[in-house]
Amino acid sequence: MDNKIVLTGIKPTGRPHLGNYIGAIKPALNLAKELESLSIFFIADYHALTSIKNPELFKEYTYDVAATWLAMGLDPNKVIFYKQSDIPQIFELSWILSCFTPKGLMNRAHAYKAKVDENKAKNIDIDMGVNMGLFTYPILMAADILLFNSNIVPVGKDQVQHVEIARDIANAFNNCYGEIFTEPSYLIRQETAVIPGLDGRKMSKSYNNTIPLFCEPKELKNLINKIKTDSSLPNEPKNIDSPLFLLYKEFATDEQIEEMKEKFINGIPWGEVKKELFEVINSFLETPRKKYNYLMNNRHLIDEILEEGAKKAQEICIPNLNKIKEKIGCQ
Ligand code: ADP
Ligand code: TRP
């Protein structure tokens, strides 16, 4: 997989949570370490504009996501790291790609479809509350990916369809002008594809069931205590598929995991599991939390890193866009 381009983005729509870290940030950072490849990570802030219309929050969440990547180990000297809105070439390409995207493909995209289904169930106009940003969201995402000729896109399960759409759009363009775009592949980690939240549903900002990555220890403890468990008695064996064990595995050492597995088999009170889960997560996050707080209190440092990153990204994407424009005949 060497010499391949790995690219992924996170949209700043709320405080990053354990699901985002385990499902997206951690695998992406590991991949960047493992491969001799170019890694490109970015903050998809214009994607967030489909839902965040408050300028203070928009800014806050953008810094929050940037500080999170950096605190969790992203090295801006090794990885290209930028903010989507700093790269106007993405939006130029997005228009070009929209001219190669059948409308029917967008009708089937899951975020739009979910909104339509919700409206149908309420017996109101099917497009109520749908802005064109939401409708064409996958085209902008395809532009993010295709502009850099990305090969591998590490994402959570819910984003697979979007990467497939990017492939379809690349294909449509290539069929017309020859092999211009690289067809991207998604990469998901099956075992952690969906991290459950406090209520057992997928951990998601939209469900209000998240554990923010950098909440203070007291809040972390409180939230872990809220994770739903079954009603087995304290000494009874516990189900290894429990969200608690799933989370524990992500932060504990191999030895700790083995010990916890034994305890699950022999019986351990849920309260004890929660206490140990808090200990491993909290100690894992102690140093990153300090770094995160430092960056959030020194935002000019984040600005500088992102500006530098945008310059590096443009060294790649400006020539790429020029080639595309040449192909369609506007240059
Ligand atoms: P949210 O659902 O909280 O709004 P996003 O849609 O912003 O999260 O997701 C950002 C990235 O994190 C995506 O790659 C997504 O697939 C991944 N992700 C989000 N929630 C989870 C989860 N519960 N488990 C695994 N990955 C997740
Ligand atoms: N749509 C992704 C999400 O909601 C974020 C995103 C935007 C993205 N552009 C991307 C992810 C390109 C991977 C590649 O999480």
Side-chain angles (χ1 to χ4, degrees):
M1 289 220 285
D2 288 354
N3 296 323
K4 299 224 160 157
I5 296 182
V6 176
L7 174 141
T8 198
I10 291 193
K11 65 176 194 289
T13 46
R15 296 173 79 190
H17 52 75
L18 294 183
N20 297 144
Y21 170 61
I22 297 166
I25 299 174
K26 183 177 167 186
L29 290 175
N30 283 344
L31 206 62
K33 262 191 230 146
E34 279 164 26
L35 297 181
E36 282 293 309
S37 60
L38 173 63
S39 295
I40 304 178
F41 299 148
F42 69 97
I43 304 155
D45 55 344
Y46 269 4
H47 271 115
L49 192 60
T50 59
S51 58
I52 307 287
K53 306 285 193 332
N54 170 326
E56 274 81 38
L57 266 189
F58 190 87
K59 200 174 252 178
E60 188 67 20
Y61 291 155
T62 300
Y63 279 120
D64 209 337
V65 171
T68 299
W69 276 107
L70 293 163
M72 294 318 296
L74 183 150
D75 178 350
N77 294 315
K78 296 200 175 130
V79 164
I80 299 183
F81 184 50
Y82 56 86
K83 194 167 73 174
Q84 185 188 36
S85 61
D86 285 340
I87 314 285
Q89 290 77 18
I90 296 172
F91 310 100
E92 195 171 342
L93 179 62
S94 185
W95 172 259
I96 297 174
L97 296 181
S98 70
C99 298
F100 292 84
T101 309
K103 176 174 174 283
L105 193 60
M106 295 300 96
N107 290 343
R108 293 189 291 277
H110 70 81
Y112 171 66
K113 214 163 150 261
K115 190 74 196 163
V116 166
D117 290 345
E118 194 186 309
N119 288 342
K120 273 186 192 157
K122 286 189 200 149
N123 233 340
I124 53 178
D125 186 288
I126 58 163
D127 283 327
M128 186 70 90
V130 176
N131 60 59
M132 286 305 287
L134 174 72
F135 186 62
T136 60
Y137 185 106
I139 306 180
L140 181 55
M141 183 156 159
D144 289 329
I145 296 170
L146 300 179
L147 184 58
F148 291 88
N149 282 318
S150 318
N151 303 94
I152 304 165
V153 185
V155 282
K157 210 173 180 176
D158 58 327
Q159 295 301 313
V160 167
Q161 188 199 28
H162 290 154
V163 182
E164 283 170 343
I165 291 175
R167 284 178 75 93
D168 289 345
I169 299 176
N171 244 316
F173 189 94
N174 288 350
N175 280 338
C176 198
Y177 299 104
E179 294 300 303
I180 308 301
F181 290 122
T182 304
E183 284 183 28
S185 304
Y186 57 80
L187 184 75
I188 49 170
R189 274 176 76 207
Q190 279 306 341
E191 69 276 22
T192 52
V194 179
I195 297 293
L198 300 178
D199 53 2
R201 292 191 292 171
K202 171 193 176 242
M203 186 179 289
S204 170
K205 281 158 274 182
S206 352
Y207 296 150
N208 232 339
N209 63 354
T210 71
I211 301 182
L213 201 47
F214 292 120
C215 55
E216 289 305 314
K218 203 168 152 222
E219 190 187 352
L220 180 63
K221 192 173 227 164
N222 280 337
L223 290 172
I224 289 176
N225 281 334
K226 282 189 190 156
I227 297 176
K228 254 192 173 169
T229 52
D230 64 28
S231 54
S232 56
L233 297 172
N235 298 331
E236 281 177 348
K238 296 290 178 285
N239 188 347
I240 215 95
D241 294 329
S242 149
L244 291 172
F245 191 69
L246 200 80
L247 282 171
Y248 190 82
K249 275 201 301 194
E250 293 293 333
F251 295 97
T253 62
D254 288 349
E255 215 177 9
Q256 286 173 317
I257 296 169
E258 270 315 301
E259 276 171 26
M260 183 56 86
K261 206 170 174 181
E262 279 296 300
K263 290 181 188 167
F264 263 60
I265 294 166
N266 296 329
I268 173 174
W270 284 125
E272 185 61 33
V273 180
K274 288 182 172 178
K275 201 168 142 260
E276 293 198 30
L277 178 62
F278 167 74
E279 297 297 340
V280 289
I281 297 185
N282 194 46
S283 79
F284 179 87
L285 289 178
E286 226 160 8
T287 309
R289 191 188 287 127
K290 277 189 197 133
K291 185 158 184 198
Y292 167 85
N293 286 333
Y294 179 77
L295 287 167
M296 287 303 274
N297 290 325
N298 293 277
R299 298 181 182 202
H300 64 283
L301 297 176
I302 302 179
D303 291 334
E304 283 164 21
I305 290 170
L306 293 175
E307 275 164 33
E308 234 358 84
K311 279 188 208 145
K312 283 197 231 164
Q314 284 179 316
E315 279 168 25
I316 300 176
C317 74
I318 291 177
N320 284 355
L321 183 65
N322 283 338
K323 265 187 226 155
I324 297 160
K325 289 172 76 172
E326 219 173 89
K327 282 286 164 191
I328 56 180
C330 68
Q331 224 173 41

